[in-house]
Amino acid sequence: MNGIVILNKPSGISSNTACRKVGKILGEKKVGHLGTLDPMAEGVLPVALGKCTKLFDYYLKKRKTYIAEFTFGYETDTLDREGRIVVDGGRFPTKEDIALVLPKLRGEIAQIPPKYSAKKVNGKRAYDLARENVEFELKPKDITIYKLEMLEQIDNKTYKFLIECSAGTYIRSIARDIAYALQTYATMTHLQRKMCGEFLIENSCTFDNINDSSVISPSELFGGNAINIDENTFKLAFNTGYINLPSVGENELFLVKLDTIDVGIATQFDGKYKLVIRLV
């Protein structure tokens, strides 16, 4: 089975566990996600099935949209509600205070990842070092925050935000950085991903209603971005890895079809098409 399921992942399970559960429901052993969601987070988790798991690298750079709640006044070691409180007693900023610092965090910025993250330091995961109480520093990473808006004030210390950002952005770090700009502390207390690339929460399904019709086939996924080839071109492509046709269009990936059969996925390379995934 080749395709993608847009799962509305519930809070409380890891992305890998969610993938395995989708695979078990659909009877597909080869599964993988196209963008990790922390166990605490909920929302859009694209789950790839079969040979579509090889699409992972092509979805790494996709934009993502989140609804997040940040609670001010304290900070945990993980920067989210599941961590251990390490600093307490910070002040509660007003809506006006927060509005003044948000522009500083929009656009291209250098963000320091949380110490409880999968980043590697001298070959070891940062979260492993943090659990061992090893002192270390993480290097800032260049990211882009396209949109950062306060949606509402929930109470005197908790606010809800809309965030659209590049891949690699840590929403927990945004909470920390807003607070530090206001000389206080904050922790992410809720996170929902609304969009991951072109995958929207409105089109998602839950574990309770997943079935074969939930699977987005390669034809549905790529729509009109398809290359139709004949049998001779098909044989040549599978022998050489290249499709003997000039590259056209601006899309990153194209579906390759032999008559009505989806046979592969290609990308543009050096003026031609390069076959990157074989579906048959």
Side-chain angles (χ1 to χ4, degrees):
M1 180 183 291
N2 298 320
I4 290 176
V5 170
I6 310 172
L7 176 68
N8 187 352
K9 184 188 87 68
S11 177
I13 64 170
S14 70
S15 294
N16 287 333
T17 298
C19 286
R20 289 194 297 270
K21 190 166 182 177
V22 170
K24 187 174 182 180
I25 293 171
L26 295 173
E28 174 59 55
K29 292 182 179 179
K30 195 170 185 179
V31 294
H33 55 76
L34 304 179
T36 306
L37 265 182
D38 286 343
M40 189 199 99
E42 61 184 54
V44 174
L45 182 70
V47 177
L49 308 168
K51 294 180 179 179
C52 283
T53 53
K54 295 180 181 179
L55 288 170
F56 177 81
D57 289 343
Y58 298 93
Y59 280 86
L60 283 179
K61 298 179 182 178
K62 298 292 186 178
R63 290 191 189 190
K64 298 173 175 64
T65 301
Y66 298 90
I67 301 294
E69 290 179 12
F70 301 154
T71 299
F72 291 83
Y74 75 102
E75 181 179 299
T76 69
D77 53 2
T78 60
L79 300 180
D80 63 27
R81 70 168 187 248
E82 297 190 333
R84 175 177 57 88
I85 295 176
V86 291
V87 186
D88 203 355
R91 73 181 187 91
F92 304 147
T94 65
K95 290 174 65 174
E96 292 73 21
D97 292 334
I98 295 171
L100 286 174
V101 302
L102 292 186
K104 300 175 184 178
L105 293 172
R106 298 187 187 118
E108 296 181 3
I109 64 171
Q111 184 188 68
I112 299 175
K115 288 199 169 183
Y116 278 84
S117 66
K119 292 292 182 183
K120 284 193 173 181
V121 180
N122 297 325
K124 293 195 70 173
R125 296 291 185 186
Y127 52 67
D128 288 329
L129 295 174
R131 289 173 185 141
E132 295 167 6
N133 295 317
V134 175
E135 289 296 325
F136 65 95
E137 297 294 330
L138 289 171
K139 295 180 180 179
K141 180 181 178 182
D142 291 334
I143 61 159
T144 303
I145 299 180
Y146 303 99
K147 188 178 292 186
L148 174 57
E149 299 176 0
M150 183 199 308
L151 295 178
E152 65 174 297
Q153 181 175 0
I154 296 174
D155 55 35
N156 70 321
K157 58 184 177 181
T158 303
Y159 295 82
K160 183 181 290 186
F161 296 86
L162 170 67
I163 302 165
E164 183 180 341
C165 56
S166 63
T169 301
Y170 286 92
I171 307 301
R172 293 174 282 155
S173 291
I174 296 177
R176 175 200 63 202
D177 294 342
I178 292 173
Y180 285 4
L182 294 167
Q183 298 183 320
T184 185
Y185 307 100
T187 292
M188 185 180 76
T189 46
H190 186 263
L191 183 66
Q192 180 190 46
R193 186 154 70 190
K194 302 283 286 185
M195 181 184 78
C196 182
E198 65 263 44
F199 305 117
L200 307 176
I201 198 164
E202 291 82 1
N203 301 325
S204 67
C205 54
T206 66
F207 291 127
D208 292 332
N209 59 18
I210 290 176
N211 53 48
D212 287 350
S213 64
S214 306
V215 180
I216 303 171
S217 68
S219 289
E220 294 173 294
L221 186 63
F222 291 98
N225 301 325
I227 309 163
N228 294 291
I229 60 175
D230 57 30
E231 192 163 346
N232 288 334
T233 304
F234 167 75
K235 291 177 181 177
L236 186 63
F238 273 62
N239 286 332
T240 66
Y242 290 87
I243 299 172
N244 193 25
L245 291 172
S247 178
V248 296
E250 299 179 353
N251 296 289
E252 183 180 14
L253 294 174
F254 291 81
L255 179 66
V256 183
K257 297 179 74 71
L258 175 62
D259 296 324
T260 60
I261 303 171
D262 300 336
V263 295
I265 296 171
T267 188
Q268 299 181 69
F269 181 80
D270 198 22
K272 292 186 177 181
Y273 291 110
K274 181 180 180 181
L275 191 67
V276 293
I277 297 174
R278 302 182 180 191
L279 295 177
V280 294

